[in-house]
């Protein structure tokens, strides 16, 4: 009888280890029946872990998560999901192409007073890093929160000058000559973890062996992606199939041209990189108090998985 585990599914490309582990049978091989439940937003995700409705989630460094940890919600950071490689642009800062063509935009300093769209407050962390290159702050521009799908039409109608955007919509904007990539996540914050595998602390205490087996399957899925996309010495077909099945990017050919993220094949955590996000959220008033992330990191499951699977060079 396989053990039933609920993991939250953000439905985005960086959650690829879960999709590969599920579709290639890695969870099943560990005696787990994993159910992926859609996770609409960070708030719902944190709540579902808190009350035991889900055991695992792929979490980003969002103020919602930090505020939940500050309130005493027991969530453990287990392994990295993405690591910003220097060339990475799964998300990037774009400027409208006509502004560049006309010479109105030559550097970030030229964004003063213009309108910049972001999908969420947390994206402004990266936007601020772009603006700093031009000696500007977030207060020097007009900021609007806009759903990711609406950003393309806002570029087309010239309602915005620039935006923080994610793939595959970056590629769509560039192909339609609506906008140009100025800087990606990798250039703006190299080495940072953009997403981590997290777990409800209570689940680890009640089902430590199940948690260890989950992380083994997760790491196998992560490594399949690593070899297919980062190292280029693995089979891309099953990884792309899993992404097509579980994300909105249904065209397999897009995976050859989109900016894809980097992973660490050993799942190494860089929780210190999340402290930079905390500093930003505290400054912006999005987070009430600083969280000591060291108290929430539990690498014992990852170490057990590495002991079983071996370490990648």
């Amino acid at each position: 009888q396989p053990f039933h585990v609920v993991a939250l599914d953000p439905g985005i490309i960086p959650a690829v280890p879960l999709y590969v582990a599920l579709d290639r049978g890695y969870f099943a091989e560990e005696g787990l029946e994993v159910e992926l439940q859609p996770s609409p937003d960070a708030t719902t995700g944190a709540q579902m872990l808190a009350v035991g409705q889900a055991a695992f989630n792929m979490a980003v460094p969002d103020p919602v998560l930090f505020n939940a940890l500050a309130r005493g919600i027991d969530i453990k950071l287990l392994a990295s999901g993405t690591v910003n490689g220097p060339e990475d642009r799964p998300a990037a800062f774009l400027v409208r192409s006509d502004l560049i063509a006309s010479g109105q935009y030559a550097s970030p300093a030229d964004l003063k007073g213009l309108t910049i769209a972001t999908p969420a407050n947390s994206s402004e962390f990266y936007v601020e890093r772009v603006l700093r290159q031009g000696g500007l702050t977030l207060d020097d521009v007009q900021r609007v929160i806009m759903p990711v799908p609406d950003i393309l039409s806002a570029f087309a109608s010239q309602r915005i000058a620039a935006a923080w955007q994610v793939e595959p919509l970056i590629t769509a904007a560039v192909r339609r000559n609506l906008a140009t990539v100025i800087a990606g996540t990798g250039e703006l914050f190299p080495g940072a973890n953009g997403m981590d595998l997290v777990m409800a602390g209570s689940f680890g205490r009640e089902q430590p062996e199940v948690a260890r087996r989950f992380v083994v399957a997760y790491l196998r899925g992560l490594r399949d992606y690593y070899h297919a996309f980062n190292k280029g010495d693995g089979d891309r077909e099953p990884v792309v199939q899993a992404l097509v099945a579980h994300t909105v990017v249904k065209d397999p050919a897009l995976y050859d041209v989109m900016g894809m993220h980097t992973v660490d094949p050993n799942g190494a955590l860089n929780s210190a990189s999340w402290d930079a996000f905390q500093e930003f959220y505290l400054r912006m008033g999005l987070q009430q108090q600083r969280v000591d992330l060291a108290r929430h990191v539990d690498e014992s499951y990852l170490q057990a998985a590495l002991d079983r699977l071996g370490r990648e060079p």
Side-chain angles (χ1 to χ4, degrees):
Q1 183 76 359
F3 192 96
H4 185 255
V5 180
V6 176
L8 296 176
D9 174 14
I12 57 176
I13 291 167
V16 61
L18 299 180
Y19 308 144
V20 173
L22 185 67
D23 291 6
R24 301 200 79 181
Y26 299 156
F27 286 129
E29 285 174 31
E30 296 299 322
L32 307 180
E33 179 189 63
V34 172
E35 175 192 346
L36 294 184
Q37 274 199 13
S39 171
D41 54 57
T43 306
T44 312
Q47 284 169 349
M48 287 178 76
L49 287 187
V51 299
Q53 287 180 316
F56 295 93
N57 191 18
M58 299 293 291
V60 297
D62 188 279
V64 167
L65 177 68
F66 296 132
N67 287 329
L69 294 175
R71 287 198 310 276
I73 290 178
D74 186 14
I75 294 174
K76 300 297 184 194
L77 278 62
L78 302 189
S80 60
T82 70
V83 183
N84 288 348
E87 307 292 314
D88 284 8
R89 57 169 187 82
F93 187 78
L94 305 177
V95 170
R96 228 171 59 218
S97 295
D98 64 289
L99 296 179
I100 295 171
S102 69
Q104 196 179 332
Y105 176 91
S107 83
D110 299 323
L111 293 167
K112 190 175 176 70
L114 300 182
T115 302
I116 298 177
T118 58
N121 290 123
S122 53
S123 314
E124 293 183 341
F125 171 87
Y126 282 104
V127 172
E128 184 183 62
R129 291 192 164 213
V130 176
L131 294 173
R132 268 194 205 145
Q133 296 172 3
L136 303 179
T137 70
L138 288 167
D139 293 332
D140 292 317
V141 298
Q142 304 293 319
R143 289 135 56 199
V144 292
I145 300 287
M146 191 177 284
V148 161
D150 298 349
I151 289 174
L152 278 187
S153 56
F155 271 132
S157 62
Q158 303 192 347
R159 279 183 294 139
I160 58 172
W164 186 253
Q165 183 61 297
V166 297
E167 288 287 21
L169 295 167
I170 295 169
T171 297
V174 171
R175 280 180 164 179
R176 290 169 57 187
N177 197 33
L178 294 174
T180 302
V181 175
I182 301 301
T185 46
E187 180 189 329
L188 294 169
F189 196 8
N193 286 160
M195 186 173 252
D196 286 346
L197 175 68
V198 302
M199 177 183 70
S202 58
F203 187 83
R205 285 191 299 278
E206 292 158 18
Q207 301 290 345
E209 180 54 31
V210 174
R212 278 192 286 272
R213 286 185 275 159
F214 186 97
V215 176
V216 166
Y218 169 87
L219 194 59
R220 289 179 68 190
L222 183 86
R223 286 179 173 183
D224 282 4
Y225 172 86
Y226 170 76
H227 285 285
F229 280 91
N230 297 159
K231 210 171 172 203
D233 62 355
D235 188 2
R236 284 170 77 108
E237 182 64 22
V239 178
V240 170
Q241 276 178 353
L243 285 166
V244 166
H246 293 277
T247 73
V248 296
V249 188
K250 301 300 183 189
D251 177 5
L254 268 176
Y255 292 98
D256 294 329
V257 291
M258 281 191 318
M260 298 294 280
H261 63 278
T262 300
V263 302
D264 181 293
N266 297 311
L269 280 168
N270 176 5
S271 54
S273 65
W274 282 24
D275 286 331
F277 288 94
Q278 287 204 73
E279 297 287 342
F280 175 74
Y281 301 144
L282 287 161
R283 204 159 28 86
M284 298 293 287
L286 298 169
Q287 183 178 338
Q288 278 64 60
Q289 64 185 87
R290 184 183 316 284
V291 177
D292 178 7
L293 288 175
R295 292 176 47 213
H296 299 278
V297 171
D298 186 345
E299 297 192 58
S300 63
Y301 304 96
L302 180 62
Q303 292 308 319
L306 290 168
D307 289 344
R308 253 187 69 186
L309 300 174
R311 282 161 175 74
E312 292 253 357

